[in-house]
Amino acid sequence: MEEEIIEFPGLMSRPVEPEDEEVIFQLNRALIDRYESVETIPYKKVLDWVRREIRNHLGEYRALFWQGEKTGYYRFHQQGAEMELSDLYILPKWQGKGIGTAVLAHCIAQTNLPISLYVFVRNTGAFRLYTRMGFSIYQQVGTRYRMRREASAL
């Protein structure tokens, strides 16, 4: 899948480039630093795992562009009998403009399988977005909620 138009004026996605790996890692690290209880986790081990996950699945990531400018990244993939939104990062400059909502709606429209994701309990902005888009909590895993949106007909 190459370039893909998303239902939002001027928004599109395309496969990431190798140089995006470090940017995605730093975005993930920033979320961990902001929302995780870093003093209670094996921080270096967690970051090493995150880096490996990104590197091993880089081909599943999409870079987002709005009006030609890179605005974020996401990874949406099948995980067993459901889809998983593993990462959704909207760069700070572009947050609050409806891009995250558009990407999430795009993912929902792509499947009739349930969709799951993790969100940090303290990430109230993302939590509100996911709730508004039909996701509900089904498990708390430490400092994160596991959320699911049940299957819908295409």
Side-chain angles (χ1 to χ4, degrees), residues 101-112:
T101 300
V103 172
L104 196 50
H106 177 73
C107 291
I108 291 167
Q110 298 301 306
T111 186
N112 60 357

Side-chain angles (χ1 to χ4, degrees), residues 68-80:
E69 192 169 341
K70 193 173 286 179
T71 58
Y73 301 91
Y74 74 101
R75 178 178 171 222
F76 185 61
H77 60 98
Q78 189 157 353
Q79 184 74 29

